[in-house]
Amino acid sequence: MTAAAAARTILTRLHEVMASRLHAQGKLNQVVEIIGDSLNSEVCSVYLLREGMLELFATRGLNQSAVHVTRLGIGEGLTGTIAGNIETLNLAEAATHPEFQYRAETGEEKFHSFAGVPIVRRQRSIGVLTVQHVEPRRYEDLEIEALQTVAMVLAELIHNAGLVDDEDASGRSAEQRGQEVLSGLQLVKGLASGNAVFHQPRITIEHTVAEDTEAERQRVYLAFDKMREQIDQMTSHAEFGVGGEHEEVLETYKMFAYDEGWGRRINEAIDAGLTAEAAIERVQQRTRMRMRQIRDPLLAERMHDLEDLANRLLRIVSGQLGTAASSGLRGDTILIAKNLGPAELLEYDRRRLRGVILEEGSLTAHVVIVARAMGVPVLGQVRNARGLIRDGDPLLLDGDKSQAIIRPAHSTVETFDTRLARSRERRAAYAALRDVEPVTRDGTRIELMINAGLLDDMPMLATTNADGIGLFRTEFQFLVSDALPARDRQTRLYRDVLDAAGEKPVIFRTVDIGGDKSLPYLRDVTGGGQEENPAMGWRALRLSLAREGLLKVQARALLDAAAGRVLNVMFPLVSEPWEFDAGKAVFDGQLAFLKRRRHTLPSEIRYGVMLEVPALAETLDTMLPRLSFVSIGTNDLTQFLLAADRSDPRLAARYDWLSPSIMRFLRRVVRITQGESGGQAGEQSGELLGEHSVDLGVCGEMGGRRLEALALLGIGIRRLSITPAAIGPIKELVRKVDLAEIGAAMEGWLADPPPNLRAELEAWAGERDIEAD
């Protein structure tokens, strides 16, 4: 008899018991009899986790007086070891195992052989199924396979009957687990509290026993076909590189996706009588047990790849492909995910999303920029967050201390609430500065503008009383759309934004897609090429110029929307003057077209560039007469100057905007735009500019941090475009600063850079009662 046949025989009889009207205890009493009889076993016992202990709940062969009396801790004895390690034991002589413990009340002294399997639900042991024989022997593989399959079905019965604790991976009950602190990397500062919600909700298998084996097999075949199609698309997607780690990972995925052995094992589980979902989970359980025994980190990583792929297959076969955003948030939420894209984050209800915890993530990833704009604290690089946090767990996210607290104690909550109240008081104090001008101590007016990307962001202009929108990310409309936004939709959005801004300026950045902002409905935009480093590849203006129709539609939409008003247009990722000229030529062409059609035109069009590519600084002086403004995008500029991929979490700690190399570069840009760079270039820029004025500002995340903003003021930056939440803190900072004093200090530090510029600046600020954070 095969393992599948043995399991199917047992499951057929178990199905009858589960469908009966017997109470839970009666059903378990029959279960141990059926298993013992089917495997010709003298003893069969079920232990369940209750009040943090494994309690003998039903037995055939041991003393009945021991039922509900014998109790073992997690890790105690053979049964406790099985539960604690979530592993199978198969022993010819139980007493020789180092964890063996004899319990006299059970009458088990005459039994020599022992086998046990964990009863697992949601990757956690909720009990143990054991068999014993008088004769010393190891159980055959088919018997162990049958036990493991039966244990999976038992998990459903036990859970539905409410017989076990709400346990965690170590078998501790909710009361015993208590508070745990997880450390990570602060990506967006702030405090938040709420309940854990997984971005990709865990699949709960409600039905384990199949009614139609062939129907379940067909469901798996179809799911495999769909999964393989997805993997094939991933391997050909331009977002992934060639010859590097991306390709290696995807090739491993592809190998597993087409592995006949994996599919055969799932088929065998279906043959045993399991549903498609239960069969996949059954094979996953075996994989997890193997993973716990692997010491080779490379092999363990490959097994994790198989785990991820199995989760994908399970989601496909169960039809649960959506995220938590699609089902809606029901209360204050801390979102848990491995990683997120900016479009995925935007799908969530801002009223209920309080914070985000990521297993990956880096300081300047676009999802972090979006989260900062939303005012949502983010903690990244939290190892195994999805394994340690349970769905629904109460959480405190302390972005300021770079930690998350799971199931906080009452005293911890009280302390946290005090800090939260203090934080709200500070925000209220900042809000009180709404109508106060951002003027330095020596009388210089600093422009403070906000970054935006959606119409929903526009009320923040009035709330903060900012000077305007220094960066409107037009790609956000593309990211939240299921299809390419038509021209009339774009026109309507831009017109509504200008209406909401009133007399205040709005700088529209032309669409910046590509890199980590790929669009599923425009996968052919890159022309089918593959990129090793998407951030430095086919994106932003480069892509728009290649797909001229994309830029033409946006140009006409912007020109129409700004009829009778001033239009500010900024081109992203310009590396050479001709790219700016080509982008402007597209707008000139559309302007001529609208003029011929007698459309009302903008009263003025101001063109600018976003300085992100270091090379642009080398020719910036020659471009100045053609520019109305320059905005420094410090996010990409930093990664390009430091040769560090901003999407790589391993390099997150390398980012320091106060690096002397970054600050000296920015100071040089300031001097070029002012015609003060010195030497021939400086003379040329001064001659070319003449009476022409070019506005210079910073629209990267750097400007929204107090210490970094202080340094920017010190090198001559007078306009900052930042998140709405940063307006109050930066305005308060501006009013404490003497520009001549900080300018002299920065000049000295940059002339002879100290070992730690950040520390020097913090000390300088502290001496003047200026809070650095």
Side-chain angles (χ1 to χ4, degrees):
M1 179 183 290
T2 65
R8 187 166 58 247
T9 300
I10 298 172
L11 289 185
T12 301
R13 296 177 64 185
L14 285 183
H15 189 57
E16 297 172 358
V17 172
M18 292 170 69
S20 71
R21 295 186 178 182
L22 285 172
H23 53 77
Q25 180 69 62
K27 289 181 179 179
L28 284 177
N29 289 341
Q30 285 202 16
V31 164
V32 294
E33 291 293 337
I34 290 170
I35 297 171
D37 183 54
S38 298
L39 298 182
N40 195 28
S41 177
E42 291 149 322
V43 175
C44 179
S45 305
V46 172
Y47 293 80
L48 300 184
L49 189 69
R50 294 169 66 84
E51 298 177 356
M53 301 287 286
L54 289 162
E55 179 180 310
L56 179 61
F57 215 87
T59 186
R60 156 191 162 129
L62 299 182
N63 294 335
Q64 290 298 316
S65 58
V67 173
H68 302 304
V69 173
T70 297
R71 290 162 63 86
L72 295 160
I74 298 298
E76 183 182 5
L78 300 179
T79 302
T81 299
I82 292 168
N85 296 337
I86 316 184
E87 67 178 7
T88 295
L89 286 181
N90 184 3
L91 306 169
E93 189 61 69
T96 62
H97 193 281
E99 299 301 327
F100 175 78
Q101 285 190 14
Y102 170 63
R103 291 301 178 93
E105 73 273 15
T106 65
E108 63 179 347
E109 61 273 9
K110 61 184 177 181
F111 302 106
H112 292 268
S113 60
F114 173 93
V117 298
I119 301 172
V120 179
R121 181 174 171 80
R122 292 187 176 179
Q123 302 183 34
R124 295 169 172 87
S125 291
I126 61 173
V128 176
L129 173 63
T130 67
V131 289
Q132 295 170 265
H133 273 80
V134 172
E135 176 189 351
R137 72 175 182 91
R138 280 181 60 84
Y139 288 81
E140 295 180 18
D141 289 344
L142 69 86
E143 293 174 302
I144 298 297
E145 286 274 350
L147 283 175
Q148 290 171 334
T149 302
V150 170
M152 168 171 261
V153 177
L154 280 181
E156 180 185 352
L157 166 64
I158 292 162
H159 172 76
N160 291 341
L163 296 177
V164 293
D165 294 338
D166 175 24
E167 82 303 330
D168 73 356
S170 62
R172 296 172 296 168
S173 66
E175 292 74 16
Q176 292 173 314
R177 287 199 304 270
Q179 176 175 300
E180 289 186 54
V181 179
L182 305 181
S183 297
L185 175 70
Q186 179 201 98
L187 298 180
V188 179
K189 65 181 295 186
L191 306 174
S193 64
N195 292 325
V197 171
F198 284 82
H199 172 58
Q200 289 190 319
R202 287 174 174 160
I203 304 298
T204 299
I205 299 173
E206 302 295 344
H207 303 290
T208 54
V209 180
E211 294 183 2
D212 185 337
T213 298
E214 286 308 310
E216 298 301 320
R217 199 185 318 282
Q218 288 304 314
R219 292 178 62 215
V220 166
Y221 287 156
L222 291 173
F224 260 108
D225 288 343
K226 187 169 184 177
M227 180 192 68
R228 288 165 178 165
E229 180 183 342
Q230 290 178 355
I231 300 302
D232 288 341
Q233 288 176 353
M234 288 170 64
T235 55
S236 61
H237 198 298
E239 190 176 351
F240 297 93
V242 292
E245 288 183 316
H246 289 133
E247 184 172 309
E248 184 182 342
V249 169
L250 289 173
E251 284 305 316
T252 302
Y253 265 50
K254 198 167 185 177
M255 178 187 72
F256 282 137
Y258 285 89
D259 178 50
E260 294 182 2
W262 184 34
R264 184 178 63 253
R265 289 190 293 273
I266 293 173
N267 258 315
E268 288 172 353
I270 291 175
D271 286 338
L274 295 178
T275 60
E277 291 88 345
I280 296 167
E281 176 62 20
R282 168 72 195 88
V283 174
Q284 267 190 284
Q285 286 183 6
R286 289 180 59 189
T287 301
R288 293 184 194 116
M289 290 180 189
R290 288 181 62 194
M291 285 168 62
R292 294 184 183 96
Q293 298 167 0
I294 293 172
R295 295 294 176 262
D296 181 340
L298 182 61
L299 186 55
E301 188 64 33
R302 290 295 171 263
M303 297 303 284
H304 277 293
D305 290 342
L306 181 55
E307 171 86 358
D308 284 345
L309 202 58
N311 284 331
R312 179 184 291 267
L313 184 65
L314 190 56
R315 290 182 186 285
I316 293 171
V317 81
S318 65
Q320 299 182 46
L321 298 172
T323 66
S326 59
S327 56
L329 304 179
R330 294 178 175 81
D332 288 351
T333 295
I334 306 294
L335 191 66
I336 315 298
K338 182 177 183 180
N339 214 335
L340 281 173
E344 291 175 310
L345 184 63
L346 287 168
E347 292 176 348
Y348 283 93
D349 185 346
R350 299 190 193 190
R351 297 169 300 173
R352 292 179 170 146
L353 182 61
R354 294 287 177 255
V356 177
I357 295 175
L358 302 175
E359 290 185 338
E360 298 180 355
S362 61
L363 191 61
T364 52
H366 281 118
V367 68
V368 174
I369 296 170
V370 173
R372 190 173 288 114
M374 293 170 65
V376 175
V378 181
L379 186 65
Q381 299 186 34
V382 181
R383 292 175 62 88
N384 195 29
R386 293 175 298 167
L388 297 170
I389 299 171
R390 299 196 61 190
D391 195 33
D393 269 346
L395 287 170
L396 301 179
L397 196 164
D398 191 340
D400 299 345
K401 293 184 178 179
S402 299
Q403 61 183 212
I405 304 169
I406 315 172
R407 300 174 298 274
H410 181 68
S411 58
T412 304
V413 173
E414 286 186 336
T415 303
F416 189 85
D417 285 345
T418 301
R419 289 181 58 211
L420 199 56
R422 196 179 305 126
S423 174
R424 286 171 180 152
E425 288 174 7
R426 288 180 66 184
R427 287 202 300 272
Y430 293 143
L433 296 173
R434 178 190 179 280
D435 298 321
V436 176
E437 293 281 304
V439 177
T440 63
R441 284 174 51 203
D442 50 347
T444 302
R445 174 65 158 81
I446 304 299
E447 268 191 280
L448 296 183
M449 308 176 84
I450 63 173
N451 300 330
L454 296 169
L455 189 58
D456 289 349
D457 297 328
M458 296 308 294
M460 296 307 298
L461 192 56
T463 301
T464 61
N465 197 25
D467 293 315
I469 307 294
L471 169 63
F472 190 89
R473 299 180 173 102
T474 61
E475 64 270 12
F476 277 20
Q477 183 186 29
F478 291 71
L479 289 170
V480 299
S481 299
D482 295 327
L484 185 68
R487 178 164 53 84
D488 60 340
R489 278 188 60 204
Q490 293 186 49
T491 303
R492 188 163 55 250
L493 170 65
Y494 306 148
R495 184 180 293 125
D496 289 345
V497 167
L498 289 168
D499 288 343
E503 296 301 314
K504 294 184 177 181
V506 178
I507 296 178
F508 291 97
R509 181 176 71 184
T510 59
V511 64
D512 181 0
I513 55 174
D516 71 344
K517 291 182 285 188
S518 62
L519 304 175
Y521 54 83
L522 279 182
R523 282 183 176 169
D524 65 329
V525 152
T526 55
Q530 293 184 321
E531 298 175 291
E532 180 65 24
N533 191 338
M536 293 168 58
W538 209 238
R539 53 169 282 229
L541 184 60
R542 299 168 180 176
L543 186 151
S544 297
L545 291 175
R547 297 292 294 254
E548 196 171 298
L550 192 66
L551 189 57
K552 277 184 178 178
V553 169
Q554 184 171 41
R556 195 185 306 180
L558 283 166
L559 292 165
D560 263 337
R565 294 184 275 204
V566 176
L567 174 62
N568 295 282
V569 177
M570 178 165 63
F571 297 110
L573 209 72
V574 175
S575 56
E576 296 190 66
W578 72 263
E579 292 174 319
F580 166 80
D581 294 336
K584 183 177 179 298
V586 173
F587 273 78
D588 289 342
Q590 294 305 302
L591 186 65
F593 173 83
L594 293 176
K595 192 173 183 177
R596 289 195 301 270
R597 295 295 181 93
R598 300 185 182 279
H599 283 232
T600 303
L601 305 177
S603 60
E604 180 185 359
I605 306 176
R606 304 176 76 245
Y607 292 101
V609 293
M610 195 165 185
L611 198 159
E612 304 166 273
V613 182
L616 184 63
E618 299 302 324
T619 55
L620 186 60
D621 59 314
T622 68
M623 294 179 62
L624 291 178
R626 311 199 293 280
L627 299 175
S628 297
F629 61 89
V630 175
S631 291
I632 303 173
T634 52
N635 300 328
D636 272 334
L637 179 64
T638 301
Q639 77 163 340
F640 297 151
L641 278 170
L642 297 179
D645 185 353
R646 77 182 195 172
S647 65
D648 190 335
R650 296 169 297 182
L651 298 175
R654 298 287 184 96
Y655 278 86
D656 188 353
W657 279 306
L658 294 181
S659 160
S661 61
I662 300 294
M663 296 308 304
R664 286 169 68 100
F665 181 90
L666 295 178
R667 184 185 62 176
R668 183 157 70 93
V669 172
V670 171
R671 290 178 174 177
I672 291 172
T673 58
Q674 295 174 347
E676 301 174 0
S677 60
Q680 186 177 358
E683 292 175 9
Q684 288 177 345
S685 63
E687 292 172 4
L688 288 168
L689 277 173
E691 297 298 318
H692 181 68
S693 174
V694 176
D695 297 332
L696 175 67
V698 166
C699 61
E701 301 303 304
M702 181 180 181
R705 294 171 173 252
R706 286 173 63 94
L707 202 63
E708 283 81 348
L710 181 61
L712 290 171
L713 294 174
I715 62 171
I717 297 293
R718 299 293 180 260
R719 188 184 77 199
L720 300 172
S721 187
I722 54 185
T723 63
I727 290 290
I730 298 301
K731 186 182 287 188
E732 192 261 355
L733 169 79
V734 165
R735 293 178 58 79
K736 289 185 174 183
V737 173
D738 183 299
L739 289 179
E741 192 177 9
I742 185 60
M746 286 298 298
E747 189 66 28
W749 288 325
L750 295 184
D752 184 16
N756 189 336
L757 177 56
R758 179 175 293 277
E760 294 288 339
L761 196 55
E762 284 178 343
W764 187 93
E767 291 169 1
R768 289 156 182 79
D769 195 30
I770 298 174
E771 293 183 22
D773 197 4

